Amino acid sequence: GVPEAKVTWFKNKVKLPSTHHLHDGLLFLANVSLSDQGLYSCKAANLHGEVTESSQLLVLEPPRPLPYLEDLTAVLTSAGPSTHSVLASPSGTKLTVSPGSSALIGCAVDGHPTPNITWLYSGEPLSLRHQLLAAGRILQILNISDFTDGEFSCLAQNEAGSLTQIMSLAIQEYRWSADKLTACSASCGHRGVQLPQLRCLLDGAEVNASYCRETPKPSLQPIACNRRDCPSRWMVTSWSPCTRSCGGGIQTRRVTCQRLTARGSSVPMSNEACAQVSKRPVDTQNCNRQPCVEWVASSWGQCNGPCIGPRLAVQHRQIFCQTKDGTSVSSDQCSSLPRPLSTQNCWTDVCGVHWRVSLWTVCTATCGNYGFQSRRVDCVHVRTNKPVMEHRCSWRPRPANWQRCNITPCENGTLLGGWVAEQCKSRKEGRVISQKRSTGPC
């Protein structure tokens, strides 16, 4: 303008010092940072007027890694002690976890504008079960067993660029180990073996064997050990049977001095060779020194008791323990012997009863539904054959004293004046037994 205009610069409507001004109305910003972002305005003014022009300065920062992620610490605190956490990095970090555990993977990045974060697994978008926390900056894996060994990566992008950070996952495997051996089963001879001890390990530490149940077990072979000649030693056979079952007997065994070789053969040695190592075992000993005893029973007592049922009367006798010479001793000394019965059922004269029945009477009809016959039923004594009270026989079923008979249809009768005479004539007596009014045939 004429005269020449004076130029003044403003940032976000705040006047800037003149140290930033250059000739020809230029504004110079050195080493631009986010703090320089804003609305810049220049006002040119002289005596005749003024004019203002503005420009918005946007500062872009490409994504860059951060050394820590505050959100990850907060989430980890609430997740529990069994959750593993790790930050992905441009050079790659590694996380080794046990099967079934959970993990938090952080993507600590910064940039302007705020980068968008995309998680990948082995170069592909995540498809297995997971959760994104803290605006996508934290990947939560609830069960690490859903994945296999692989590489997780977070891709941070904005208008200024992109950054990829990597985390390699290694899942520890439960495995069987047979590196420990049992103690040798023998100190010498030819049979000494050691058995491998099977253990379930995770990262070198022993865990419960149930974790390895789906892992095939290795084949275990016994390992020979201490295969060398044994020192001379006494060898004994089993004791012979005792010469007596009670009252004191003797049993014997054979005692020899032998040496077992590494090949398994037994070599006889002199008694002096074994005597230098240990005292000779005895070859004779007493046995069954307890006195000879037996159960003795007195005669059976009188048979007593009512007989309301078979053999309900009882009789008793005394049982006691004594030696062979007749000396009575405690019953405990006969406890190993079968004890005779001291009580038994018996049969009294009262029990000797039964039901006696007479012959059936002649049936009261030869046909129809009304014929019956009866007989006499008495409770009598077996020996005297005399009747007794019926309750004496009550423990046996009482025979029936009457029954129906000749239950057969009669011949058709003759209809006469509304009466039908049932001509049920006795074959023996030749007479009419009964008449019955009826509206129809018999």
Side-chain angles (χ1 to χ4, degrees):
V2 178
E4 184 178 353
K6 180 182 178 181
V7 177
T8 305
W9 282 95
F10 299 85
K11 177 186 177 185
N12 297 329
K13 299 183 179 181
V14 177
K15 184 178 178 180
L16 292 174
S18 59
T19 54
H20 295 284
H21 297 188
L22 297 178
H23 60 86
D24 296 333
L26 296 179
L27 177 68
F28 177 71
L29 300 177
N31 194 19
V32 175
S33 64
L34 281 178
S35 61
D36 295 319
Q37 180 171 283
L39 178 65
Y40 287 84
S41 303
C42 68
K43 183 175 72 171
N46 62 12
L47 295 176
H48 301 287
E50 64 181 36
V51 63
T52 300
E53 297 290 344
S54 299
S55 179
Q56 183 75 37
L57 175 63
L58 297 177
V59 178
L60 300 181
E61 285 187 342
R64 58 188 177 86
L66 294 177
Y68 64 92
L69 184 61
E70 292 183 358
D71 292 334
L72 181 60
T73 304
V75 173
L76 182 62
T77 302
S78 62
S82 62
T83 302
H84 304 270
S85 65
V86 67
L87 284 178
S89 67
S91 60
T93 55
K94 185 174 182 180
L95 177 64
T96 302
V97 295
S98 57
S101 60
S102 56
L104 297 172
I105 307 173
C107 186
V109 294
D110 193 14
H112 190 80
T114 301
N116 293 321
I117 296 177
T118 304
W119 286 95
L120 304 173
Y121 174 64
S122 297
E124 299 293 335
L126 283 173
S127 59
L128 297 175
R129 189 172 50 155
H130 67 281
Q131 288 185 351
L132 295 179
L133 308 175
R137 294 174 180 268
I138 298 176
L139 172 64
Q140 183 180 30
I141 302 174
L142 300 178
N143 187 351
I144 209 73
S145 297
D146 293 340
F147 297 82
T148 58
D149 291 357
E151 188 176 85
F152 288 88
S153 57
C154 66
L155 174 62
Q157 295 175 302
N158 63 11
E159 291 87 337
S162 64
L163 173 68
T164 300
Q165 300 197 94
I166 300 170
M167 193 283 296
S168 298
L169 174 67
I171 302 177
Q172 295 173 329
E173 293 185 356
Y174 294 105
R175 63 181 183 86
W176 291 109
S177 172
D179 55 347
K180 288 190 175 181
L181 300 175
T182 61
C184 191
S185 61
S187 59
C188 59
H190 68 295
R191 294 185 178 180
V193 292
Q194 288 179 294
L195 297 177
Q197 289 182 312
L198 203 57
R199 300 185 302 151
C200 182
L201 300 182
L202 177 65
D203 194 26
E206 185 173 358
V207 295
N208 191 291
S210 60
Y211 290 112
C212 291
R213 61 179 176 270
E214 296 182 1
T215 304
K217 291 183 178 180
S219 59
L220 302 180
Q221 299 296 331
I223 301 173
C225 57
N226 295 341
R227 299 293 176 93
R228 55 177 178 264
D229 292 348
C230 291
S232 301
R233 60 178 178 175
W234 297 108
M235 304 292 290
V236 296
T237 61
S238 300
W239 288 105
S240 66
C242 193
T243 56
R244 298 187 63 183
S245 60
C246 58
I250 296 175
Q251 55 186 170
T252 60
R253 64 180 178 181
R254 185 182 176 189
V255 179
T256 57
C257 180
Q258 298 183 18
R259 187 186 69 188
L260 183 64
T261 67
R263 295 184 177 181
S265 59
S266 186
V267 179
M269 304 293 291
S270 65
N271 288 345
E272 290 75 12
C274 289
Q276 297 176 0
V277 179
S278 62
K279 183 180 178 181
R280 185 181 188 275
V282 297
D283 55 8
T284 304
Q285 70 176 7
N286 296 325
C287 53
N288 294 341
R289 301 177 65 178
Q290 74 278 6
C292 296
V293 294
E294 62 182 348
W295 291 110
V296 178
S298 64
S299 300
W300 286 107
Q302 185 177 356
C303 188
N304 297 312
C307 188
I308 308 301
R311 296 186 178 277
L312 292 186
V314 295
Q315 58 185 167
H316 305 276
R317 65 178 178 179
Q318 292 185 344
I319 307 296
F320 48 92
C321 180
Q322 70 177 26
T323 61
K324 296 293 186 179
D325 59 4
T327 303
S328 295
V329 294
S330 171
S331 297
D332 294 340
Q333 298 192 33
C334 290
S335 59
S336 61
L337 303 175
R339 181 185 176 93
L341 295 175
S342 60
T343 302
Q344 71 176 6
N345 295 116
C346 55
W347 185 273
T348 67
D349 191 57
V350 178
C351 300
V353 292
H354 70 105
W355 293 106
R356 183 179 64 187
V357 296
S358 66
L359 298 176
W360 291 104
T361 61
V362 178
C363 189
T364 59
T366 59
C367 63
N369 296 323
Y370 306 99
F372 72 91
Q373 57 187 169
S374 61
R375 64 181 177 180
R376 185 178 180 84
V377 179
D378 296 308
C379 180
V380 298
H381 199 280
V382 174
R383 180 171 51 81
T384 64
N385 209 29
K386 292 182 178 182
V388 297
M389 299 297 290
E390 284 201 357
H391 75 273
R392 296 280 187 87
C393 293
S394 61
W395 55 275
R396 290 182 173 178
R398 189 181 192 278
N401 61 351
W402 76 279
Q403 67 180 6
R404 294 185 177 275
C405 54
N406 293 341
I407 309 300
T408 57
C410 297
E411 297 178 0
N412 292 339
T414 303
L415 184 62
L416 182 61
W419 293 86
V420 178
E422 295 182 356
Q423 303 297 328
C424 301
K425 297 182 180 181
S426 171
R427 295 180 179 177
K428 290 186 178 181
E429 299 178 2
R431 59 187 178 86
V432 176
I433 300 301
S434 65
Q435 286 184 331
K436 183 178 181 182
R437 185 170 185 173
S438 175
T439 57
C442 292

